Amino acid sequence: MTEASAEPAPRVADAFADGPALIPYLTAGDPDLEATEEFVRALARGGADAIELGMPFSEPIAEGPTIQNAIFRALDAGTTPERFLDAVGDLDVDVPLLVMTYYNPIYQYGSEDGPEPYVEAAAEAGLSGVIVPDLPAEESDPLQDACEAHGLDLVFVVAPTTTGDRLDRLMARTSGFAYVQARLGTTGARTDLSEATFESLSRLDGYDVPRAVGFGVSEREHAAAIVEGGADGVVVGSALVEMVAEGVEADENPATVAERLQAAVADLKAGAEEGATRATPESQGN
Amino acid sequence: MTEASAEPAPRVADAFADGPALIPYLTAGDPDLEATEEFVRALARGGADAIELGMPFSEPIAEGPTIQNAIFRALDAGTTPERFLDAVGDLDVDVPLLVMTYYNPIYQYGSEDGPEPYVEAAAEAGLSGVIVPDLPAEESDPLQDACEAHGLDLVFVVAPTTTGDRLDRLMARTSGFAYVQARLGTTGARTDLSEATFESLSRLDGYDVPRAVGFGVSEREHAAAIVEGGADGVVVGSALVEMVAEGVEADENPATVAERLQAAVADLKAGAEEGATRATPESQGN
Amino acid sequence: MSGDARETPADDGKFGRFGGQYVPEALMPAVEELTDAYQRYVLDNEDGFIDEFREHLRTFGGRPTPLQRADRSSERYDTEVYLKREDSVHGGAHKLNNALGQVLLAKYMGKERVIAETGAGQHGTATAMAAAHLDMPCEIYMGRTDVNRQRPNVFRMRLDGAEVNPVDVGSGTLKEAINETLRDWATNVEDTHYVIGSVVGPHPFPSMVRDFQAVISEEARSQVQEAADRLPDAVVACAGGGSNTMGSFHHFVGDEDVDLYAVEAGGSGLERHEDEGVAPHSASLSTGDEGVLHGARTKLLQDRHGQILESHSVSAGLDYAGVGPELADLVESGRVTPATVGDDEALEAFHRLSRLEGIIPALETSHAFGFLEREGAELGDLVVVTVSGRGDKDLETVIEETEQRDLDAAPDLEVFER
Amino acid sequence: MSGDARETPADDGKFGRFGGQYVPEALMPAVEELTDAYQRYVLDNEDGFIDEFREHLRTFGGRPTPLQRADRSSERYDTEVYLKREDSVHGGAHKLNNALGQVLLAKYMGKERVIAETGAGQHGTATAMAAAHLDMPCEIYMGRTDVNRQRPNVFRMRLDGAEVNPVDVGSGTLKEAINETLRDWATNVEDTHYVIGSVVGPHPFPSMVRDFQAVISEEARSQVQEAADRLPDAVVACAGGGSNTMGSFHHFVGDEDVDLYAVEAGGSGLERHEDEGVAPHSASLSTGDEGVLHGARTKLLQDRHGQILESHSVSAGLDYAGVGPELADLVESGRVTPATVGDDEALEAFHRLSRLEGIIPALETSHAFGFLEREGAELGDLVVVTVSGRGDKDLETVIEETEQRDLDAAPDLEVFER
Ligand SMILES: Cc1ncc(COP(=O)(O)O)c(C=O)c1O
Ligand SMILES: Cc1ncc(COP(=O)(O)O)c(C=O)c1O
């Protein structure tokens, strides 16, 4: 399972192969790309089933304050799309990596306009999927074509406001998994779970696509409850980014922060698995 | 000619009886009414033929800065119309005294509206004439009636802009003398004489009323030139008020200031007489 | 088509006992010349003066101004409230109506220069704007105290190319500025027109300024008939010198069923402090007595010796010890009802109108709305209130004054505190 | 009666290559709902929406605004110059046209709350006024830097009852305020309408805001025909996001002989400093390249990685890194000619117009007049320039900026120095 560097990247769906997937998010380049590489390895060691890497964009409209600040740190550290992809290329983890970014940096990449050059480079660097929160299905044909051409998954977000026909269309389009937005609003760790989460999950019951819930998940018990509620995976972002921020604040060694990240992921993963166990007897009991 | 207190006040026209009249102006109550009394006696000693006393009003629209400031000092010292008239009553100079003030304090004086009560009190105090710069002939019937009833002269100002029919009407109305405004604008010492002065004087040639020129006269030579130009008298205000102001500024004894005022008046008077001498041979030479 | 109530005033400019021409002789030929010009150009429309005036009002001034139903106020007071929106005139107040008229008249008269006094700066800016528009050199006199506390308006005048002459005597406010402007006029009367800022001063100013401002009631009267198919029960307007009131009332004076309310500044109380020469209000109609000031016989704030008192109001534009003679007469005859609204009530009304209607009124205007708050439906079923100006000029004053008080209607201003 | 140039934009909100709906999925149902409401109420006048909108524009907003012949400018430039006077709209700028339309639409849609971003505070105050007038709760997002330097506008919003939420991230200016408003919208999309301030953002905003602002050219086109019996040779308007330009141009787009000039802020120079993430100008039409920002594909100021640059202009209202997609397309197709005017020229024009015409323009507007000064009679025999707003809001900025320069047209400001 090591020596992955020259092998083709794993598919995103692999993350959901053995039970519930724990998908951590970190902003790449926060506080610098070297640290990010170290953190990513730690996330993998902690049991992450896939990893989302935020490629920083100056106008992060879908993010709450925690990730906004991480993005500004990453930009200050000189994190460009080229350097980001270089760093991804250096990584040798064996779980699928997804890039989460906004449409403009994808569109601008390379010498010609349009998403194709970026997707090609992303595939070369070993990325398995792309998530673009400001790109709704309606505007996504060019990116989707490029992803298909280069074998990447394009993951769409399903919002609490996504219903009816829209939902059908989105679920038909998303590949890898459906990113289920736990609540309205922006990213950011919350201490409670919203009712909307479970409503969204149940709305998605009939579709044959893995469902990973994100936006606000921060605690082991959240992960458990979400998986128990029917999710196939859990995305955890701000809670982990917050740990990085604390490390930056305290001027800690990246290795120290990496250890904490690893432990946190392990804990969340354990939560997800608990949720799965809780769900199974019940569903068997039905 | 002394012991004037109980005698009837002299008429304003008396001032012009023996050659050119020198008519100084001071603001009453500047810096207080006692000083004013002392100053007035000095003006008389210096050879004044009549004296104008400004009764202070808060809105002195016809005055330049020097007399405005004198008026504000007088008001600050508590100079009311009652106190002003009391002080006039205490004076025992034998030249005619004229009050120069604005219409509102005259109008408000006493228990009923209208100028009558003031004029009555002014006559009792020994004043001989009244000058009201903001009361044109058109609005002056009530005041004129009161003045006639109480034996006071009502002196009108003739401006450089007063011509034609207006001039005829004004010259018919004015009594005592015509106050010839030397130039457009407000009171205030000037170092030159304006052409307008001589034009105004020649406009007034045909009328059988003494003509005293004021507004801006400050030097002996002005007085001479004005009289030479045909005037029957000269009014000097700001130049003398300025001396009072300097005394106030330097915290001088009123007696010291009075001496200077006396000397100044004597000098100006000499100028007026020179002007008369210069004028006579020429007119005789014709 | 009635409403053209009063006849042209008598030639001598007397309104009952009030009015007249109490000016230095040097100015008499000028006021006579002006009276003549007023008759020819303004009353007789000679050389199409009035047509040109109206065209400038329309294209430069932005007239007609709306008559707007104030929905939320109507609800609050349970009566139909209509706003006559003079705040939308160019420059932000009704003042331009008069300034445009007079500067244009000065041109017709062949004058080469206009001068004006200003207190808060509203009339000064209006005159400066009109003078720039009509290419006429312009100087404004303004008390030093006012120059210092009304910086934005001083700047606006300078921008429009006017000279601003600070007046350093006395308390350095409006009264001193008027005195100084009269002195300039007396000095330069031959080529200069004095653009007086309200329905005050010697005849023909009170009549002429009223005629220039009467466009307010001319429009309002036909607009209210169009909107509501009836005349109002009451017209309410704030009064400083009285140009806003006279403008708002003129075409309603003949409509006897329309009540007219002139709201003066009650300041911090209606008393007088004669010893200090101060009245902490500007209620000359309600509390003043007859006297002569700035060219006319009218109602004044004065002490028993006839000295003029320093007046006070939180709104600089109402802060004047006199009032127009025609308004004094209309009050005397009972046709107009005077009322006073104090600083506190005016500030509450400022905040209330801003919040309820999205219209930030001038502090002057706020007095009219303080009166509306007090009387409400007592005023009848349909009330027209003139919004004489917008409040942008007053923001700093309102912040300061609001901080010193505990006002119900004021918003929390804490966002400013960082 | 022509001039109704362009057809209704395609349903997908594309203008050539520009436009679209680049928003988070959570907002897609809202923009779809809004697209539907736009079609029904705005385009089809369902429930008399347009009638009610026009009535509010008239009685609350003070429309129609004048088209004024600028006599002294006409002389100076030896061409007929007409001014479309949006500075006379309630609140002092064209911004209210759009704010009123959107807040009213929010009511028709049953929304319970409106939010808006603001930079200089003009759109924020316009929205706050419209919201107060229509009794709709309102919150405004504004960068902390802007809050601190635009106190009067912050105060005006608070007075009109709006909440003002300072945004502390980034440079604390317009871009951050928009981001934060989008976040609020994504959180509260079900009961909240986002009143966007220009012809930017996802479809239907660019079309809808243009339609609300098109009243400018609708009026101007018939006014110029009435006044001069012909169409203009050129229409000139300043462009930030582009609502003033699109409003001023819309009804002339079909008149092929009428040249249309969109004047952008040239700031202190047209270069880019990618290393610092800064462009010292806001000339996205003239120098930007295609990209996606704030919901639409358009022309942007960005570095080669697609990061948005901090733009700059002495006028806060033009200081934006993007521009409306329809305007980008009209420039692309050659129908609209872009131009840039720098800070210095704009300041000169500010002073010149104030002095020549007695109209103190907004600094944004001054850019259009800087262009007029440069081109003059080259523009043809009859030029319409839109005065998009008044300059009262800019006085402090102008004093500061003028002191730092040696401007020919500026008055001596020495009266301030005591
Ligand atoms: C907005 C406004 N309203 C009212 C006034 C009061 O003046 P007048 O009574 O002459 O209308 C002023 C004076 O500056 C003003 O600016
Ligand atoms: C007066 C004025 N003009 C122009 C603009 C530029 O915006 P837009 O291009 O959307 O009209 C603004 C923006 O605040 C403004 O206030």
Side-chain angles (χ1 to χ4, degrees):
Chain A
M1 287 271 205
T2 30
E3 328 267 32
S5 34
E7 290 177 37
R11 298 297 306 213
V12 172
D14 298 353
F16 301 88
D18 320 314
L22 193 277
I23 310 177
Y25 164 98
L26 284 182
T27 299
D30 173 29
D32 57 50
L33 282 166
E34 269 180 34
T36 301
E37 291 182 33
E38 188 156 355
F39 297 160
V40 168
R41 289 187 202 100
L43 300 175
R45 283 196 302 274
D49 298 290
I51 296 170
E52 277 183 31
L53 288 172
M55 185 178 85
F57 175 52
S58 56
E59 319 302 318
I61 59 168
E63 322 296 348
T66 305
I67 297 182
Q68 282 174 49
N69 288 328
I71 286 173
F72 296 142
R73 284 194 298 272
L75 286 172
D76 284 347
T79 311
T80 63
E82 281 82 359
R83 292 192 193 134
F84 166 77
L85 291 175
D86 283 353
V88 170
D90 289 348
L91 284 167
D92 48 6
V93 292
D94 56 5
V95 296
L97 297 176
L98 298 97
V99 57
M100 178 149 183
T101 192
Y102 292 78
Y103 194 50
N104 201 48
I106 291 179
Y107 185 81
Q108 300 304 328
Y109 188 90
S111 50
E112 54 190 287
D113 279 356
E116 163 88 31
Y118 182 86
V119 173
E120 184 177 351
E124 267 167 34
L127 283 162
S128 306
V130 182
I131 311 175
V132 189
D134 67 344
L135 190 71
E138 285 74 2
E139 307 284 356
S140 67
D141 284 348
L143 180 60
Q144 197 154 26
D145 292 348
C147 284
E148 270 163 28
H150 296 280
L152 264 64
D153 286 310
L154 179 56
V155 175
F156 283 94
V157 175
V158 177
T161 49
T162 315
T163 54
D165 283 359
R166 259 204 93 66
L167 184 59
D168 291 342
R169 276 182 277 129
L170 262 187
M171 292 307 280
R173 253 182 204 256
T174 197
S175 83
F177 63 94
Y179 189 132
V180 182
Q181 185 179 331
R183 65 185 80 214
L184 285 173
T186 54
T187 57
R190 307 294 202 295
T191 52
D192 63 324
L193 275 183
S194 114
E195 258 311 301
T197 310
F198 300 105
E199 276 166 33
S200 294
L201 278 174
S202 64
R203 234 188 355 261
L204 295 177
D205 265 349
Y207 299 94
D208 187 26
V209 183
R211 296 158 296 173
V213 174
F215 274 55
V217 185
S218 67
E219 291 168 20
R220 174 177 180 151
E221 184 46 34
H222 294 169
I226 287 167
V227 172
E228 187 182 0
D232 305 295
V234 177
V235 182
V236 182
S238 298
L240 302 173
V241 171
E242 191 58 45
M243 287 183 187
V244 176
E246 282 162 14
V248 170
E249 196 95 312
D251 211 7
E252 284 177 321
N253 197 309
T256 320
V257 176
E259 266 172 45
R260 276 208 297 276
L261 289 170
Q262 178 176 344
V265 166
D267 187 46
L268 288 157
K269 175 76 189 252
E273 280 164 354
E274 275 160 36
T277 334
R278 277 195 245 153
T280 320
E282 264 178 49
S283 55
Q284 289 179 330
N286 269 356
Chain B
M1 284 273 202
T2 30
E3 329 264 35
S5 33
E7 289 175 38
R11 297 298 306 212
V12 171
D14 298 353
F16 301 88
D18 321 316
L22 193 279
I23 310 176
Y25 164 98
L26 284 181
T27 299
D30 172 28
D32 56 50
L33 283 167
E34 268 179 36
T36 301
E37 291 183 32
E38 188 155 355
F39 297 161
V40 168
R41 290 189 199 100
L43 300 176
R45 281 196 303 275
D49 297 291
I51 296 169
E52 277 182 30
L53 288 172
M55 184 177 87
F57 175 53
S58 56
E59 319 302 318
I61 58 167
E63 324 295 350
T66 305
I67 299 184
Q68 284 175 47
N69 288 328
I71 286 173
F72 296 143
R73 284 194 298 273
L75 286 172
D76 284 347
T79 310
T80 63
E82 280 83 359
R83 291 192 193 137
F84 166 76
L85 292 175
D86 284 352
V88 170
D90 288 348
L91 284 168
D92 47 7
V93 293
D94 56 4
V95 297
L97 299 176
L98 297 97
V99 58
M100 178 148 182
T101 191
Y102 291 79
Y103 194 50
N104 201 48
I106 292 179
Y107 185 80
Q108 300 304 327
Y109 188 88
S111 50
E112 54 191 289
D113 277 357
E116 163 88 30
Y118 182 84
V119 173
E120 185 177 350
E124 265 167 37
L127 283 163
S128 305
V130 182
I131 311 175
V132 188
D134 67 343
L135 189 71
E138 285 73 4
E139 306 285 355
S140 66
D141 284 348
L143 180 59
Q144 198 155 26
D145 293 349
C147 284
E148 271 162 29
H150 295 280
L152 265 66
D153 287 311
L154 179 57
V155 175
F156 284 94
V157 175
V158 176
T161 48
T162 314
T163 54
D165 285 358
R166 255 204 96 66
L167 185 58
D168 292 342
R169 276 184 274 130
L170 261 188
M171 292 307 280
R173 252 183 205 256
T174 195
S175 82
F177 64 94
Y179 189 133
V180 181
Q181 186 179 330
R183 66 185 79 215
L184 285 173
T186 54
T187 58
R190 307 295 204 296
T191 52
D192 63 324
L193 274 184
S194 113
E195 258 312 300
T197 309
F198 301 104
E199 275 167 34
S200 294
L201 278 174
S202 62
R203 237 191 350 264
L204 295 177
D205 265 349
Y207 299 94
D208 186 26
V209 183
R211 296 157 295 174
V213 173
F215 273 56
V217 184
S218 65
E219 292 169 19
R220 175 177 178 149
E221 184 46 34
H222 293 170
I226 286 168
V227 171
E228 186 181 1
D232 305 295
V234 177
V235 181
V236 181
S238 299
L240 303 173
V241 172
E242 190 58 45
M243 287 183 186
V244 176
E246 283 162 12
V248 170
E249 196 99 310
D251 212 5
E252 284 178 321
N253 196 309
T256 319
V257 176
E259 267 172 44
R260 276 209 297 277
L261 289 171
Q262 178 177 341
V265 167
D267 188 46
L268 288 158
K269 176 74 189 253
E273 280 163 355
E274 276 162 37
T277 334
R278 276 192 246 156
T280 321
E282 263 179 54
S283 52
Q284 287 178 332
N286 271 356
Chain C
M1 263 301 159
S2 134
D4 260 309
R6 319 199 94 214
E7 290 94 77
T8 303
D11 270 350
D12 59 356
K14 294 280 161 60
F15 305 96
R17 298 200 313 281
F18 304 105
Q21 294 181 312
Y22 295 82
V23 294
E25 171 58 23
L27 291 177
M28 281 305 296
V31 298
E32 284 176 354
E33 182 192 354
L34 186 62
T35 306
D36 175 61
Y38 167 52
Q39 179 68 48
R40 284 164 42 211
Y41 299 120
V42 182
L43 299 180
D44 303 340
N45 192 22
E46 193 173 305
D47 299 344
F49 172 87
I50 285 294
D51 306 321
E52 186 175 350
F53 172 52
R54 296 207 166 226
E55 185 64 12
H56 287 291
L57 279 183
R58 192 172 71 80
T59 62
F60 179 66
R63 301 207 71 92
T65 61
L67 182 80
Q68 179 206 334
R69 184 176 187 279
D71 295 340
R72 297 181 66 193
S73 300
S74 296
E75 203 176 298
R76 179 180 180 93
Y77 301 118
D78 197 20
T79 181
E80 294 289 298
V81 177
Y82 280 85
L83 308 180
K84 180 57 180 164
R85 295 287 306 277
E86 294 301 296
D87 61 309
S88 85
V89 176
H90 180 54
H94 70 297
K95 293 280 171 190
L96 186 76
N97 302 327
N98 168 44
L100 257 182
Q102 287 198 51
V103 177
L104 188 64
L105 190 65
K107 270 196 118 158
Y108 274 65
M109 291 171 72
K111 299 291 177 187
E112 284 163 22
R113 173 176 174 265
V114 295
I115 56 175
E117 89 290 347
T118 199
Q122 285 307 102
H123 174 57
T125 52
T127 305
M129 286 176 161
H133 175 62
L134 296 169
D135 200 7
M136 177 70 95
C138 172
E139 286 184 46
I140 307 291
Y141 289 90
M142 188 170 187
R144 173 68 69 186
T145 311
D146 289 336
V147 167
N148 291 338
R149 68 183 174 185
Q150 305 285 345
R151 266 175 65 95
N153 273 343
V154 174
F155 191 51
R156 298 207 297 168
M157 293 183 255
R158 295 289 298 125
L159 286 175
D160 289 330
E163 296 296 326
V164 177
N165 302 320
V167 178
D168 278 311
V169 293
S171 63
T173 59
L174 178 60
K175 207 158 53 73
E176 288 77 22
I178 297 182
N179 295 342
E180 200 60 29
T181 319
L182 284 167
R183 292 183 188 111
D184 180 319
W185 200 27
T187 309
N188 302 296
V189 59
E190 287 156 325
D191 67 355
T192 298
H193 176 68
Y194 177 7
V195 181
I196 213 164
S198 192
V199 288
V200 299
H203 177 69
F205 283 111
S207 305
M208 186 173 74
V209 175
R210 175 208 61 211
D211 289 349
F212 289 142
Q213 292 290 4
V215 63
I216 302 174
S217 49
E218 183 186 325
E219 288 174 7
R221 193 170 183 281
S222 74
Q223 287 167 323
V224 70
Q225 284 180 314
E226 167 133 3
D229 205 20
R230 53 163 293 189
L231 288 177
D233 291 321
V235 178
V236 179
C238 67
S243 66
N244 172 50
T245 32
M246 286 312 308
S248 300
F249 295 168
H250 185 64
H251 288 273
F252 291 110
V253 169
D255 300 317
E256 286 177 20
D257 293 338
V258 180
D259 297 333
L260 306 174
Y261 296 94
V263 186
E264 300 189 284
S268 60
L270 294 181
E271 64 274 16
R272 287 186 203 179
H273 305 298
E274 294 212 355
D275 292 348
E276 293 126 66
V278 167
H281 61 86
S282 310
S284 38
L285 283 175
S286 307
T287 76
D289 21 58
E290 205 173 315
V292 172
L293 177 67
H294 293 147
R297 181 176 306 192
T298 185
K299 288 211 162 191
L300 300 182
L301 301 181
Q302 53 187 329
D303 71 11
R304 64 187 181 285
H305 305 300
Q307 307 294 354
I308 309 306
L309 300 175
E310 289 282 335
S311 56
H312 163 82
S313 166
V314 70
S315 92
L318 301 185
D319 193 350
Y320 179 56
V323 68
E326 184 175 12
L327 190 53
D329 181 51
L330 287 169
V331 165
E332 191 90 346
S333 71
R335 181 67 191 90
V336 168
T337 308
T340 65
V341 161
D343 290 351
D344 293 353
E345 282 173 285
L347 283 161
E348 290 278 12
F350 175 95
H351 289 296
R352 195 181 306 110
L353 194 75
S354 301
R355 177 103 118 223
L356 274 186
E357 302 289 353
I359 297 169
I360 301 175
L363 273 175
E364 291 79 13
T365 308
S366 303
H367 287 73
F369 287 93
F371 180 71
L372 179 66
E373 171 80 6
R374 195 198 298 154
E375 301 294 326
E378 298 291 306
L379 296 173
D381 297 332
L382 196 163
V383 182
V384 171
V385 187
T386 303
V387 184
S388 58
R390 63 179 189 235
D392 301 39
K393 68 183 180 63
D394 294 316
L395 296 184
E396 288 302 322
T397 307
V398 169
I399 293 178
E400 265 171 45
E401 298 284 342
T402 300
E403 272 167 7
Q404 291 164 26
R405 288 172 171 83
D406 190 20
L407 299 176
D408 291 341
D412 183 355
L413 300 178
E414 148 252 9
V415 72
F416 287 106
E417 270 154 28
R418 277 231 214 162
Chain D
M1 262 301 160
S2 135
D4 260 309
R6 319 199 93 213
E7 290 94 77
T8 302
D11 270 349
D12 59 357
K14 293 281 161 60
F15 304 96
R17 299 201 313 281
F18 304 105
Q21 295 181 310
Y22 295 82
V23 294
E25 170 60 23
L27 290 177
M28 281 305 294
V31 298
E32 284 176 353
E33 182 192 354
L34 186 63
T35 306
D36 175 61
Y38 167 54
Q39 180 67 50
R40 283 164 42 210
Y41 298 121
V42 182
L43 299 180
D44 302 340
N45 193 21
E46 194 174 305
D47 298 344
F49 172 87
I50 286 293
D51 306 321
E52 184 174 351
F53 171 53
R54 298 210 161 222
E55 184 65 9
H56 287 291
L57 278 183
R58 193 173 69 81
T59 63
F60 180 67
R63 302 207 73 92
T65 61
L67 182 81
Q68 180 206 332
R69 183 177 187 278
D71 295 339
R72 298 182 67 191
S73 300
S74 296
E75 204 176 300
R76 178 179 182 94
Y77 301 118
D78 197 21
T79 179
E80 294 288 299
V81 177
Y82 282 84
L83 308 179
K84 180 57 179 165
R85 296 286 306 277
E86 294 301 296
D87 60 309
S88 85
V89 176
H90 180 55
H94 70 296
K95 293 280 171 190
L96 186 75
N97 302 328
N98 168 44
L100 256 181
Q102 287 198 52
V103 178
L104 188 65
L105 190 65
K107 271 195 116 159
Y108 274 65
M109 291 170 74
K111 298 292 177 186
E112 285 162 23
R113 174 175 174 266
V114 295
I115 57 177
E117 88 292 347
T118 199
Q122 286 306 102
H123 175 58
T125 53
T127 305
M129 286 177 160
H133 175 63
L134 296 170
D135 200 7
M136 178 70 96
C138 173
E139 286 184 47
I140 306 291
Y141 289 89
M142 188 170 187
R144 173 68 70 186
T145 311
D146 288 336
V147 167
N148 290 338
R149 68 183 174 185
Q150 306 284 345
R151 268 176 62 96
N153 273 343
V154 175
F155 191 50
R156 300 207 296 168
M157 293 183 254
R158 296 288 297 126
L159 285 175
D160 289 331
E163 295 296 326
V164 177
N165 301 320
V167 178
D168 279 311
V169 293
S171 63
T173 59
L174 178 62
K175 207 159 52 73
E176 286 78 21
I178 297 182
N179 295 343
E180 200 60 29
T181 319
L182 284 168
R183 291 182 189 112
D184 180 319
W185 199 27
T187 310
N188 302 295
V189 58
E190 285 155 326
D191 66 356
T192 297
H193 175 68
Y194 177 7
V195 181
I196 213 163
S198 191
V199 287
V200 299
H203 177 69
F205 283 111
S207 305
M208 185 173 73
V209 175
R210 176 207 63 211
D211 289 349
F212 290 142
Q213 292 290 5
V215 65
I216 302 174
S217 49
E218 183 185 324
E219 289 174 6
R221 193 171 183 281
S222 72
Q223 286 167 323
V224 72
Q225 283 179 315
E226 167 132 4
D229 205 19
R230 54 164 293 190
L231 288 176
D233 290 323
V235 178
V236 179
C238 68
S243 66
N244 172 51
T245 33
M246 286 312 308
S248 300
F249 295 167
H250 186 63
H251 288 273
F252 291 109
V253 169
D255 301 318
E256 284 177 22
D257 293 339
V258 180
D259 296 334
L260 306 174
Y261 296 94
V263 186
E264 299 188 286
S268 60
L270 293 182
E271 64 273 18
R272 288 185 201 180
H273 305 298
E274 294 212 356
D275 292 348
E276 293 126 67
V278 167
H281 61 85
S282 311
S284 38
L285 282 175
S286 305
T287 77
D289 21 57
E290 206 173 315
V292 173
L293 178 65
H294 293 147
R297 181 178 305 194
T298 185
K299 287 209 161 191
L300 299 182
L301 301 181
Q302 54 187 328
D303 70 12
R304 65 188 179 285
H305 306 300
Q307 307 295 354
I308 308 306
L309 299 175
E310 290 283 334
S311 56
H312 162 82
S313 166
V314 70
S315 93
L318 300 186
D319 193 350
Y320 179 57
V323 67
E326 185 175 11
L327 189 54
D329 181 51
L330 287 168
V331 165
E332 190 91 348
S333 72
R335 181 65 191 92
V336 168
T337 308
T340 65
V341 161
D343 290 351
D344 293 353
E345 282 173 284
L347 282 160
E348 290 279 12
F350 175 95
H351 288 295
R352 195 181 306 109
L353 194 75
S354 301
R355 177 104 117 224
L356 276 186
E357 302 289 352
I359 296 169
I360 301 174
L363 274 174
E364 292 78 12
T365 307
S366 303
H367 287 74
F369 287 93
F371 181 71
L372 178 66
E373 171 79 6
R374 194 198 299 154
E375 301 294 326
E378 299 291 305
L379 297 173
D381 297 331
L382 197 164
V383 183
V384 171
V385 187
T386 303
V387 183
S388 59
R390 64 178 189 236
D392 301 40
K393 68 183 180 61
D394 294 317
L395 296 184
E396 288 303 321
T397 308
V398 170
I399 293 178
E400 264 171 48
E401 299 284 340
T402 300
E403 271 165 7
Q404 291 164 26
R405 289 173 170 83
D406 190 20
L407 299 177
D408 292 338
D412 182 357
L413 299 180
E414 147 251 9
V415 72
F416 286 107
E417 270 154 29
R418 273 230 217 162

